[in-house]
Amino acid sequence: MDQNIQFHTKSIKKEQVSKNISNEYIKSLFLMPFNDLIYQAQQVHRSNFDANKVQLSTLLSIKTGGCSEDCAYCPQSARYNTDVENEKILALDKVISAAKAAKESGASRFCMGAAWRSPKQKDLDLVKEMIVEVKKLGLESCATLGMLNQDQTRQLKEVGLDYYNHNLDTSPEFYGDIISTRTYQDRLDTLQNVRDQGIHVCCGGIVGMGENLDERVGLLAELANLTPQPESVPINLLTQVEGTPLFGIDELDHFDFVKTIAAARILMPKSFVRLSAGREKMNEATQALAFLAGANSIFYGEELLTTENPTSEKDQELMKKLGITAI
Ligand code: SAM
Ligand code: DTB
Ligand code: SF4
């Protein structure tokens, strides 16, 4: 572990102490020569995980489109003119067959996403039934439904939800350029409500939205200083969708994406770091570099929520080439 971090956590129960990892320290990681950074990340990775194992989560959009929020990256916002239609919540049998298929193709976790600002009680009741059925199949359950209050997180815990995904998306400084309809503090409050119920936290963000290096560093600082750190950290590369405000912006260099993964691995040594959206645009070598940098989870299955992801056959092929097996 880096001395910087060790100093702040010394002899105090790790989960209860704010780590105070500084932006300067995080930036220094990004400024290291690429090979040195990857080497350090790989060392941290190997001392905490089997370096040849990757966790597979399959996503299903259980409620697509028509969202009231204005997230500038998102094709599901009702405010932007994209190809995504406003659909009704999926029927339980459709969710069960998608979960069965995910299980058969080798996923260990099934993540249900909904295009909501936050769930209404009647919708939450339906999601609770879905969670129960997913768990019956022997899959870990995950949901991402927007903001949650204490009562909603309690209800989800009651039916056995394993993970809740709620991303900080970007740094506090850049956040206002991306979303105006909910605040950074709203997100932190939801994460706290999830944590208070003992549901595992899945929290990450998006890079390639036009943020500068300090802002990318700022996202990692927020994530790494969450106490305890999230169990799962999805790092998404923006998938540019026509009709959204971010469509057509300069694309992030893939080495900068890999560096973000490496920094996340060093800063959050025990978290699963997920190589998330954006794989469809990455070649195999870039993905292999991301694994070398410490990514040990992917979204698995040909669709994310509304956009494409590599097919499971293609991923199996890549994993075989790299000698990687599923957890
Ligand atoms: N509506 C809920 C919410 O926003 O909290 C849950 C679903 S939302 C689609 C989940 C996450 O997907 C977002 O927080 C964002 O990080 C990610 N996401 C959405 N659109 C994306 C895109 N075009 N590229 C990369 N990540 C994206
Ligand atoms: C996360 O961090 N990435 C996933 C999941 N959590 C819900 C979503 C990616 C969405 C990409 C755009 C889409 O397919 O609509
Ligand atoms: Fe709605 Fe979530 Fe998309 Fe934001 S990211 S517009 S809250 S679906």
Side-chain angles (χ1 to χ4, degrees):
M1 188 191 280
D2 187 272
Q3 292 204 328
N4 225 359
I5 304 172
Q6 210 167 25
F7 173 75
H8 293 283
T9 56
K10 202 178 159 192
S11 76
I12 310 172
K13 197 170 169 234
K14 237 191 237 160
E15 281 73 26
Q16 286 169 2
V17 73
S18 171
K19 292 197 172 53
N20 241 329
I21 302 169
S22 72
N23 291 47
E24 290 67 36
Y25 167 63
I26 300 174
K27 191 168 179 176
S28 75
L29 296 175
F30 278 90
L31 299 178
M32 281 166 77
F34 185 78
N35 286 347
D36 290 347
L37 175 65
I38 302 301
Y39 180 61
Q40 189 180 326
Q42 179 65 198
Q43 282 179 314
V44 171
H45 190 40
R46 280 176 184 267
S47 47
N48 291 285
F49 290 99
D50 180 334
N52 302 308
K53 290 227 180 282
V54 166
Q55 185 274 329
L56 308 179
S57 286
T58 294
L59 273 173
L60 177 69
S61 181
I62 57 164
K63 162 65 187 86
T64 304
C67 185
S68 61
E69 303 303 278
D70 69 352
C71 313
Y73 48 77
C74 187
Q76 303 202 69
S77 167
R79 298 166 192 245
Y80 313 133
N81 192 10
T82 67
D83 286 344
V84 176
E85 303 287 340
N86 183 1
E87 293 172 20
K88 283 207 260 205
I89 189 165
L90 279 192
L92 186 60
D93 61 328
K94 293 238 170 67
V95 177
I96 296 173
S97 31
K100 275 186 182 154
K103 168 107 181 162
E104 270 157 32
S105 63
S108 63
R109 191 177 307 158
F110 192 68
C111 182
M112 294 165 276
W116 293 322
R117 171 181 168 81
S118 60
K120 299 193 176 67
Q121 186 58 46
K122 71 171 172 34
D123 292 323
L124 194 64
D125 289 337
L126 297 172
V127 175
K128 282 158 63 181
E129 289 177 28
M130 296 173 187
I131 293 166
V132 169
E133 295 302 323
V134 165
K135 289 191 61 93
K136 276 189 199 158
L137 298 172
L139 284 160
E140 289 179 320
S141 57
C142 173
T144 178
L145 316 170
M147 294 190 287
L148 296 181
N149 61 30
Q150 284 179 359
D151 177 58
Q152 291 169 319
T153 44
R154 187 192 50 72
Q155 293 185 52
L156 290 171
K157 178 68 182 177
E158 237 168 47
V159 293
L161 182 70
D162 297 296
Y163 287 81
Y164 194 76
N165 167 240
H166 198 62
N167 291 338
L168 289 175
D169 279 350
T170 189
S171 68
E173 293 72 28
F174 190 57
Y175 186 83
D177 289 28
I178 302 296
I179 299 144
S180 78
T181 49
R182 63 168 95 150
T183 65
Y184 213 77
Q185 190 58 48
D186 288 333
R187 290 183 186 257
L188 293 168
D189 291 347
T190 293
L191 291 168
Q192 192 58 53
N193 292 334
V194 171
R195 188 52 91 194
D196 287 347
Q197 287 300 327
I199 299 170
H200 294 121
V201 171
C202 172
C203 181
I206 312 177
V207 293
M209 297 198 292
E211 74 284 350
N212 62 31
L213 176 58
D214 288 327
E215 290 158 344
R216 207 167 303 136
V217 162
L219 165 66
L220 290 179
E222 288 292 326
L223 293 170
N225 284 307
L226 287 174
T227 313
Q229 293 184 332
E231 281 75 17
S232 172
V233 180
I235 304 292
N236 296 278
L237 176 63
L238 174 71
T239 298
Q240 296 197 11
V241 180
E242 200 165 351
T244 60
L246 294 183
F247 182 70
I249 65 163
D250 285 350
E251 286 185 12
L252 186 72
D253 188 288
H254 283 180
F255 290 118
D256 289 325
F257 178 80
V258 173
K259 282 185 176 192
T260 310
I261 298 264
R265 164 52 63 227
I266 293 166
L267 298 166
M268 293 170 276
K270 297 199 182 300
S271 306
F272 278 83
V273 174
R274 184 171 305 119
L275 163 57
S276 301
R279 289 200 298 120
E280 186 61 12
K281 281 266 177 77
M282 288 174 204
N283 62 23
E284 291 188 332
T286 302
Q287 294 183 64
L289 272 181
F291 293 131
L292 194 63
N296 59 348
S297 171
I298 55 171
F299 284 124
Y300 177 68
E302 65 190 27
E303 211 176 12
L304 291 168
L305 292 172
T306 66
T307 63
E308 285 182 2
N309 197 41
T311 61
S312 43
E313 290 76 19
K314 214 170 159 192
D315 279 341
Q316 291 288 356
E317 233 174 79
L318 175 60
M319 287 165 66
K320 199 167 168 202
K321 283 189 201 175
L322 301 177
I324 286 175
T325 53
I327 292 175

